[in-house]
Amino acid sequence: MTTKVSTKLGHLGRCRDLQPSFVNPPVWRGSTVLFPSLRSLLSKDQDYNYGRHGTPTTRALESLLKELDGPLAHGVHLTPSGLSAVTTAVLSVMRPNDHLLVVDSVYQPMRAFCDTVLARMGVEVTYFDPRLSSGIRNLLRPQTKAVYLETPGSQTFEMQDVQAIAEEAHRVGAFVIADNTWATPLFFRPLEHGVDIAIQAATKYIVGHSDALMGVIAANSRAWTAVHDMHSALGLSVSPDDAYLALRGLRTLELRLKQHERNALTVADWLEKQPAVAQVLHPGLPSHPDHALWRRDFSGSSGVFGVVLRPSPFPCAEALFDGLQLFGMGFSFGGYESLATYVTTEGLRTATPWSDKGHLIRLQIGLEDPEDLIADLSAGLERFEAARECAA
Ligand SMILES: *Cc1c(COP(=O)(O)O)cnc(C)c1O
């Protein structure tokens, strides 16, 4: 019966079998699970056997998340942060002397993990042009164990042709891993485009209220055993309180995403017309170089995008940021409130250059009235222009 996503978000993951009366599942706390007999203690197929392996609250969340990633999701694991979902997914398939291809626009902490932990493990990492598409075949080697994607990149917003890349990767037997934090499965279902392991920072849109950290790994049947074994071996678990918050966030995910989308497009459209702005990096805008790819594969856009300002000395960016009233200055995104961050372009790329000389800022457009947000940005751009004139 629960076929449409809005209905699933309202009805699944409610533990109706364990407590039929209240609408929401309780926060089930527990490490130890007691068994009625020695036989059941030693049995391998109880529903619950130890808190680290899951409680009714975390299982409720997993079951709803698995539905969202679609029928190709063989299983879902929760991790204590988005970054731990990234690193667990990668560790689950990489062995010493393997080769890993990573998109050059990748989330910076993933790059740090590659350059430290994976390097120490003897894994060779090659970063590739985010717009390479099937040209990736020239970089694939017999030792290539996985290709890592993030589309769009959460700092510079290039999109990848996931299907074309997955086809090439699978030809040499490599896994495809994709970070789907920006779109969530409501706007893009990676497993249906050839991805084997899809991860999300649930911290962002799923939790949605800037009050908990969590990661999600969804794997297809080919990758599931590897992911499951690594997740167990690392001893990862999430608190039932955070699982409850993520479940609560999911109930309004579709509504919030649609509002983030509308608000972000309104603000992005306005920014494109401002003389202080050199470029707006939003795949949902027709001016974006990957707009056609976004239209082909995605059913919506979220609330995060980049803005390149006209080249100017650093104090001009300071003048813009330091007087913002509604935009908080801080990392992360996906909460109900708007945020602005400054992206440091130094060391951002190693395979493809980032040649824009202007300051790169990233905006998360929250659920506030977009007119108020535009007024805040408009005042910011006036301060920016005034500082630029002084500097000239
Ligand atoms: C935030 C983020 C992560 C990491 O999530 P945390 O919960 O902060 O560890 C990973 N990937 C992307 C694209 C992100 O935006």
Side-chain angles (χ1 to χ4, degrees):
M1 264 300 287
T2 52
T3 50
K4 300 283 198 295
V5 74
S6 325
T7 311
K8 284 179 180 169
L9 289 172
H11 282 264
L12 301 182
R14 285 169 48 178
C15 294
R16 303 285 275 277
D17 49 336
L18 292 177
Q19 55 92 35
S21 39
F22 283 90
V23 171
N24 290 297
V27 175
W28 251 288
R29 297 176 193 285
S31 51
T32 301
V33 173
L34 297 176
F35 302 95
S37 66
L38 181 59
R39 245 171 228 282
S40 65
L41 180 129
L42 297 173
S43 146
K44 290 272 178 265
D45 51 27
Q46 326 91 345
D47 286 341
Y48 301 98
N49 66 6
Y50 187 54
R52 175 155 33 78
H53 303 145
T55 64
T57 318
T58 60
R59 292 276 167 79
L61 174 59
E62 285 165 356
S63 67
L64 176 48
L65 289 168
K66 180 170 175 289
E67 275 295 318
L68 296 184
D69 261 305
L72 291 175
H74 190 79
V76 159
H77 268 308
L78 305 174
T79 67
S81 67
L83 184 57
S84 60
V86 169
T87 57
T88 305
V90 172
L91 282 175
S92 68
V93 297
M94 302 310 294
R95 305 278 180 280
N97 303 316
D98 284 345
H99 176 233
L100 172 67
L101 282 166
V102 177
V103 66
D104 203 26
S105 49
V106 74
Y107 176 67
Q108 215 63 7
M110 163 58 181
R111 184 186 284 271
F113 174 74
C114 291
D115 298 345
T116 55
V117 178
L118 291 187
R120 214 155 61 217
M121 262 176 70
V123 169
E124 196 186 334
V125 178
T126 307
Y127 296 96
F128 65 91
D129 181 345
R131 297 195 167 114
L132 203 51
S133 188
S134 44
I136 198 148
R137 79 171 69 89
N138 301 318
L139 298 177
L140 288 160
R141 310 175 191 167
Q143 302 81 0
T144 308
K145 188 57 82 61
V147 179
Y148 187 95
L149 309 175
E150 183 186 325
T151 181
S154 58
Q155 283 161 316
T156 46
F157 301 91
E158 296 92 336
M159 308 272 308
Q160 289 113 66
D161 189 332
V162 176
Q163 247 152 281
I165 291 172
E167 250 168 58
E168 297 298 331
H170 289 159
R171 240 191 272 284
V172 301
F175 287 98
V176 179
I177 307 172
D179 185 332
N180 194 35
T181 301
W182 184 86
T184 83
L186 268 62
F187 288 158
F188 181 63
R189 298 215 294 209
L191 302 180
E192 290 167 14
H193 296 258
V195 168
D196 300 292
I197 308 174
I199 75 101
Q200 287 177 83
T203 308
K204 311 292 166 60
Y205 288 112
I206 292 176
V207 166
H209 295 72
S210 309
D211 51 7
L213 291 151
M214 198 179 293
V216 186
I217 312 175
N220 64 13
S221 56
R222 177 175 174 232
W224 175 249
T225 305
V227 166
H228 178 66
D229 290 352
M230 182 53 70
H231 186 270
S232 304
L234 292 175
L236 304 176
S237 76
V238 304
S239 96
D241 296 271
D242 292 347
Y244 184 92
L245 289 175
L247 258 175
R248 178 160 159 156
L250 277 169
R251 305 299 176 200
T252 55
L253 177 64
E254 192 185 26
L255 283 172
R256 287 185 288 107
L257 271 177
K258 284 181 174 167
Q259 194 65 39
H260 282 295
E261 174 173 49
R262 262 197 300 276
N263 288 0
L265 284 169
T266 304
V267 175
D269 265 337
W270 176 82
L271 279 165
E272 265 200 321
K273 300 183 192 103
Q274 305 312 305
V277 171
Q279 209 186 343
V280 177
L281 310 172
H282 186 314
L285 292 179
S287 62
H288 192 275
D290 304 320
H291 182 67
L293 200 54
W294 172 79
R295 280 192 84 91
R296 188 193 74 183
D297 291 348
F298 286 55
S299 58
S301 57
S302 62
V304 191
F305 61 89
V307 182
V308 182
L309 299 173
R310 300 258 172 233
S312 59
F314 185 73
C316 303
E318 268 184 307
L320 192 168
F321 272 82
D322 288 347
L324 290 171
Q325 302 292 309
L326 297 176
F327 283 83
M329 254 183 282
F331 300 106
S332 200
F333 60 83
Y336 53 85
E337 81 295 2
S338 292
L339 294 171
T341 56
Y342 184 93
V343 181
T344 308
T345 51
E346 208 178 278
L348 192 64
R349 301 309 185 86
T350 50
T352 48
W354 181 258
S355 49
D356 262 305
K357 293 280 175 283
H359 303 290
L360 173 57
I361 66 182
R362 188 180 76 179
L363 297 178
Q364 124 89 5
I365 304 301
L367 304 176
E368 304 96 327
D369 191 298
E371 273 182 37
D372 292 338
L373 297 176
I374 286 174
D376 197 19
L377 291 173
S378 178
L381 291 178
E382 272 170 36
R383 291 190 300 275
F384 173 82
E385 294 282 30
R388 240 175 122 212
E389 271 161 36
C390 288

